[in-house]
Structures are given as C-alpha cells and as structure tokens.
Amino acid sequence: MVNRKYTLYFRLLTFAFLYVVFFVQFGATQSESKSPEKEILLISPYGAVARSAIIPGWGQFHAHNYLQSVFSFFGVGTSLAGAVVTHFSFREAYDKEYLPIALENRKSKEALAAYDRANQKYRVRQFFLYTAAGIWAYSIIDAYVAANLYNASTKSQLIIEDSKAFEQLGVKFDLNQDHVSFNLLKQF
C-alpha cells in the first residue's frame, strides 16, 4: 500500500513537471509582425520567470542575459553544495560529539562546548541555504526584468529600422507670405 501511494505521488509530480516544461517551452514566445517578411520574436516575461523558478538562471539564459544566468546557476549550485557538506558536518558533530556527552550531563562544560561546535556548523548550513534561496529569488526577478529589457530593445531596433526607411522619404516644407507648400519626395 505504501509503495503504491509513493508511486502515485511520483506519477503526479512527473506529470506536473512535464506539464510545466511543456507550457514554458511552447507558450513562452510571442511574435510581433508588422510585415510578413519581418517577424520579431519577443520573450514572454512570465515564461522567463517560470524557467528560472524551475532551474535558476534558465529564464535569464532564455532572455539572452547569459552572464547573469551562469552566475545564478553556479551561485545556487555552490550554495546548495556548501549546505549539504555543512549539514553532514553538523550531523556528525551533533550525533557523535554532543549527544553522547549530553546524555550523561547536559550542563557540563564538555557538553556545552560540543553543542557550540555543532550549533556553529548548523548556522553555517543555514547561511548557505538562505544564500541559495536569495540567489534563486534574484534569478527569478532578474529573468522577468531581462525579458522585458530584451523586448524593449528589440522593439526599439524595429522602430529605428522603420525610421531609417522613413528618412529615405524626403519631406520639403516651404512657407512664404504668399503660399505654403508641402512636398513629399521619394527616390526610387
């Protein structure tokens, strides 16, 4: 019965994970097209956020912010690795040093010293965990910002290209006391 229960949970988690990956992969880009030959792909900020929520730095990478994505990914990875290493060190100090002494006399100097060593390792582990969570949260926020900045720069490039085409269209405006003339010149 227990095995079946965990199998059901595993299947549900797998289905949810695949659904999120499918949603992020295929629902993450928008296209803006002013003409049929020019199609511009924009990045969905929410798709970038979902990517970074799954794997830190993935959304930033998708938003073409490559350096930040590498820092986010390795920052979270090294913080979690440090947390795992210090967790094992904490468990060893607590279980093998403090507990045997504390079972005899919890208030002895040796027990208090062993507890302080174990507590210091616990605090370092907590520091690593909070650091990883902070970097991951930063990765999510930065993915949203990077996607919006990428979209803005892409749209501005389109506007610049359109304005260059408009500059080729000559406009002549002449104002005299007798008449006002407005001429459009186009050279082919």
Side-chain angles (χ1 to χ4, degrees):
M1 181 67 180
V2 173
N3 233 356
R4 197 169 188 200
K5 181 179 176 182
Y6 288 124
T7 303
L8 179 64
Y9 285 141
F10 179 74
R11 286 182 183 171
L12 286 173
L13 285 173
T14 303
F15 177 74
F17 177 75
L18 291 175
Y19 177 76
V20 167
V21 168
F22 180 79
F23 166 74
V24 168
Q25 192 65 31
F26 296 107
T29 58
Q30 306 165 357
S31 66
E32 184 170 300
S33 174
K34 296 221 175 191
S35 64
E37 67 273 358
K38 284 185 180 178
E39 185 170 331
I40 297 173
L41 292 177
L42 300 178
I43 297 171
S44 168
Y46 299 114
V49 165
R51 280 181 168 86
S52 279
I54 294 170
I55 298 173
W58 185 19
Q60 294 163 313
F61 187 82
H62 181 66
H64 304 279
N65 198 353
Y66 302 115
L67 187 62
Q68 292 281 21
S69 71
V70 169
F71 285 141
S72 295
F73 182 76
F74 285 114
V76 170
T78 54
S79 294
L80 289 177
V84 168
V85 168
T86 55
H87 172 74
F88 288 124
S89 178
F90 159 70
R91 289 309 310 173
E92 184 177 334
Y94 188 82
D95 293 339
K96 293 182 180 174
E97 293 178 24
Y98 172 69
L99 278 182
I101 299 170
L103 290 175
E104 295 174 13
N105 183 5
R106 220 175 28 174
K107 306 242 181 200
S108 70
K109 287 184 180 183
E110 296 86 19
L112 292 175
Y115 178 78
D116 285 341
R117 284 191 300 274
N119 191 32
Q120 182 65 29
K121 293 177 183 185
Y122 172 81
R123 289 180 183 178
V124 171
R125 181 194 72 177
Q126 292 302 103
F127 168 77
F128 279 126
L129 288 175
Y130 288 135
T131 301
I135 294 171
W136 204 328
Y138 167 77
S139 170
I140 292 170
I141 294 167
D142 190 53
Y144 181 80
V145 171
N148 281 319
L149 288 175
Y150 176 80
N151 291 343
S153 68
T154 302
K155 288 179 181 180
S156 69
Q157 288 297 328
L158 179 65
I159 291 170
I160 290 170
E161 289 173 8
D162 288 346
S163 68
K164 286 180 182 177
F166 186 73
E167 284 176 358
Q168 293 175 354
L169 178 69
V171 177
K172 184 179 178 185
F173 184 74
D174 188 25
L175 178 65
N176 287 334
Q177 288 180 340
D178 300 345
H179 68 281
V180 174
S181 67
F182 182 75
N183 299 321
L184 294 175
L185 306 170
K186 177 70 176 166
Q187 294 180 359
F188 294 99

